[in-house]
Amino acid sequence: MTIIEHIIGGQNTPGASGETQNVYNPATGEAIHQVVLGAEAEINAAVRAAKDAFPAWSGTSPAKRAAIMFALRGVMTRRADEIARTISAEHGKTHDDALGEVARALEVVEYACGIPDKLKGDFSREVGPGIDTCAERQALGVVAGITPFNFPAMVPLWMIPMALACGNTFVLKPSERDPSSANLIYDLFREAGLPDGVLNVVHGGKQAVDAVIAHPNIQAISFVGSTPIAHYIYSNGCAAGKRVQALGGAKNHMIILPDADIDQAADALMGAGFGSAGERCMAISVAVPVGEETANRLVEKLTPMVRALKIGPSTDTDAEMGPVITKEAKDRIENLISAGEGEGAEVLVDGRGYNLQGYEGGFWVGGTLLDRVTEDMTVYKQEIFGPVLSVLRADSYDTAVELINKHQYGNGTAIFTRDGDAARDFAKRIQVGMVGINVPIPVPVGYHSFGGWKQSIFGAHGIYGPEAIHFYTRLKTVTSRWPTGIRSGAEFTFPSMG
Ligand code: NAD
């Protein structure tokens, strides 16, 4: 069984903790690797390496840093298939879905290629007599990223290219459930020419995370994962004086108005609800048809489609979705379906107890469709993060909007309609960070930024794009006057530049 090690200062190392954890193939349920679990000693070593690498890296010209991102783009494009296979082997998503993950990660790398332009700063001449002001953004130092299992390549690559392009050095603490992608990302950067110590990978769980929060030389933390952990990292990281962005969980609704193209809406719900087995923070998990007639038409379309979902391992090119990540995740999802049933939801398609011939040990949950879900049900209030689509029938457009605005999460949402007025009103009024109009998964492209509202994010900045430049740099403003030989005498009033 392969041991997945840390990578610190350019060297693979098992670390000092001696602790390991199994990594599974979720399609078979077999342990395929072991990952070492680091703690304080490993984080200390990684931060030391990153701190040592910082002066040279931050002093490298932005154009040279961009050249490495450009080389990385070439390496990733050439090795896209290998990256996708590495993702799928431990996550379970289909190969095409994993290729989509690589494509979205590439957008961030491409944006980072333009860093010299983004960092070029501002200059104002003659802000006062003989006085000029320039403003520049400087790198923070050593920054850390803590990432979830569901996008083991894309989410680290939401962070690393932008942090490095801005001149920082990086410590990545990836998910311990599918850790191989992180080491592969390191390898891609190394092939692109990144110097040792600029990027370091420390594997582990809570102990490693707590060491990141406590380390005085880590200036900033980017976190993506569930809301309770996001809140924990945000509050403790801020209390430790760090800059923190912490993106959390989601419950994404899609409103279907009576004038929507129902076939198109049903197709969109299938992809957005069941793609990647619903393990996406931008998955649509609640369909909100407006009016009984719309709801009946939608449910009639969706029921056979959910029954016909093609479920299989990532190696099956016909599969539309794979297994969920662990046995614990499977049990949690099935328990939530039972809770929904117990609270009165109608189980139109039941994915509990799903078994795939030849893969009996895998962590499978079949596509599940719940109708007549109501606001008070656990299945509605909690993030399920599995292949479960709830239908919550709303009697009016206003009720539907109010429902979304009341929900604790505000990551993504969508509306399907042909009515421009309604769509425009929706975009304006909805209390959610990423909005789709007839687009079910409105993940912003790499030159915009990603981020939800409410309990889906803690911190002022979204991730990647222009927001990342602000997060990974701090502003310095220099006001200068050169001696002219003319004395104006001491001034005791507050300088007005007039
Ligand atoms: P998770 O919160 O369990 O884990 C995320 C990271 O936190 C991992 O690196 C893990 O090792 C660490 N961690 C876990 N428990 C911890 C603890 N007690 N103390 C300190 N650190 C801990 O999340 P996950 O299950 O890996 O990922 C799924 C979640 O991530 C979902 O809630 C999903 O919505 C969310 N997510 C959000 C976004 C977004 O952009 N908002 C994107 C992807 C995933």
Coordinates of all heavy atoms in Angstrom, one line a residue, residues 1-5 12 20-23 31-36 90 179-180 183:
M1 N 0.9 -1.2 0.0 CA 0.0 0.0 0.0 C 0.9 1.3 0.0 O 1.8 1.3 0.8 CB -0.9 0.0 1.3 CG -2.2 0.8 1.1 SD -3.2 0.8 2.6 CE -3.7 -0.9 2.7
T2 N 0.6 2.2 -0.9 CA 1.5 3.4 -1.0 C 1.2 4.3 0.3 O 0.1 4.4 0.8 CB 1.0 4.3 -2.2 OG1 0.6 3.4 -3.2 CG2 2.1 5.2 -2.6
I3 N 2.3 4.9 0.7 CA 2.2 5.8 1.8 C 2.3 7.2 1.2 O 3.2 7.5 0.5 CB 3.3 5.7 2.9 CG1 3.4 4.2 3.4 CG2 3.2 6.7 4.0 CD1 2.5 3.9 4.5
I4 N 1.3 8.0 1.5 CA 1.3 9.4 0.9 C 1.9 10.3 2.0 O 1.4 10.4 3.1 CB -0.1 9.8 0.6 CG1 -0.7 8.9 -0.5 CG2 -0.2 11.3 0.1 CD1 -2.2 8.9 -0.6
E5 N 3.1 10.9 1.6 CA 3.9 11.7 2.6 C 3.7 13.2 2.4 O 3.1 13.7 1.4 CB 5.3 11.3 2.4 CG 5.7 9.9 2.6 CD 7.2 9.6 2.6 OE1 7.9 10.2 1.7 OE2 7.6 8.8 3.4
N12 N 10.1 14.9 0.1 CA 9.1 14.0 0.7 C 9.5 13.6 2.0 O 10.7 13.2 2.2 CB 8.9 12.8 -0.2 CG 8.0 13.1 -1.4 OD1 8.4 14.0 -2.2 ND2 6.9 12.4 -1.6
T20 N -1.0 7.5 10.8 CA -1.5 7.4 9.4 C -3.0 7.1 9.4 O -3.5 6.7 10.5 CB -0.8 6.2 8.6 OG1 -1.0 5.0 9.4 CG2 0.7 6.4 8.5
Q21 N -3.5 7.3 8.3 CA -5.0 7.0 8.1 C -5.2 6.4 6.7 O -4.5 6.7 5.8 CB -5.7 8.3 8.2 CG -7.2 8.2 8.0 CD -7.9 9.6 8.3 OE1 -7.6 10.3 9.2 NE2 -8.9 9.9 7.4
N22 N -6.2 5.4 6.6 CA -6.5 4.8 5.4 C -7.1 5.8 4.4 O -7.9 6.6 4.8 CB -7.4 3.6 5.5 CG -6.7 2.4 6.1 OD1 -5.5 2.3 6.0 ND2 -7.5 1.5 6.6
V23 N -6.8 5.6 3.1 CA -7.5 6.3 2.0 C -8.2 5.2 1.2 O -7.6 4.2 0.8 CB -6.5 7.1 1.2 CG1 -7.2 7.8 0.0 CG2 -5.7 8.1 2.0
A31 N -9.3 -0.1 1.1 CA -8.2 0.9 1.5 C -7.1 0.8 0.4 O -6.7 -0.4 0.1 CB -7.7 0.6 2.8
I32 N -6.8 1.9 -0.3 CA -5.8 1.8 -1.4 C -4.5 2.4 -1.0 O -3.4 2.1 -1.6 CB -6.3 2.4 -2.7 CG1 -7.0 3.7 -2.5 CG2 -7.3 1.4 -3.3 CD1 -7.4 4.5 -3.7
H33 N -4.5 3.4 -0.1 CA -3.3 4.1 0.4 C -3.4 4.3 1.8 O -4.5 4.2 2.4 CB -3.1 5.4 -0.3 CG -3.2 5.4 -1.8 ND1 -2.3 4.7 -2.6 CD2 -4.0 6.1 -2.6 CE1 -2.6 5.0 -3.8 NE2 -3.6 5.8 -3.9
Q34 N -2.3 4.8 2.4 CA -2.3 5.4 3.7 C -1.7 6.8 3.6 O -0.7 7.0 2.9 CB -1.5 4.5 4.7 CG -2.2 3.2 5.1 CD -1.6 2.6 6.3 OE1 -0.4 2.6 6.4 NE2 -2.4 2.3 7.3
V35 N -2.3 7.7 4.4 CA -1.7 9.0 4.4 C -1.2 9.3 5.8 O -1.8 8.9 6.8 CB -2.8 10.1 4.0 CG1 -4.0 10.1 4.9 CG2 -2.2 11.5 3.8
V36 N 0.0 10.0 5.8 CA 0.6 10.3 7.1 C -0.2 11.5 7.6 O -0.7 12.3 6.9 CB 2.1 10.7 6.9 CG1 2.9 9.5 6.6 CG2 2.3 11.8 5.9
E90 N -9.7 8.5 -5.7 CA -10.0 8.6 -4.3 C -11.3 9.3 -4.0 O -11.9 9.1 -2.9 CB -8.8 9.4 -3.6 CG -7.5 8.6 -3.7 CD -6.3 9.4 -3.2 OE1 -6.5 10.5 -2.7 OE2 -5.2 8.8 -3.2
P179 N -6.0 12.6 -0.5 CA -4.8 13.5 -0.4 C -3.9 13.4 -1.6 O -3.0 14.3 -1.7 CB -4.1 13.0 0.9 CG -4.5 11.5 1.0 CD -5.9 11.4 0.4
S180 N -4.0 12.4 -2.5 CA -3.0 12.2 -3.5 C -3.0 13.4 -4.5 O -1.9 13.7 -5.1 CB -3.3 10.9 -4.3 OG -3.0 9.8 -3.5
N183 N -0.4 16.1 -3.6 CA 1.0 15.8 -4.0 C 1.2 15.9 -5.5 O 2.3 16.3 -5.9 CB 1.4 14.4 -3.4 CG 1.6 14.4 -1.9 OD1 1.0 15.3 -1.3 ND2 2.3 13.4 -1.4

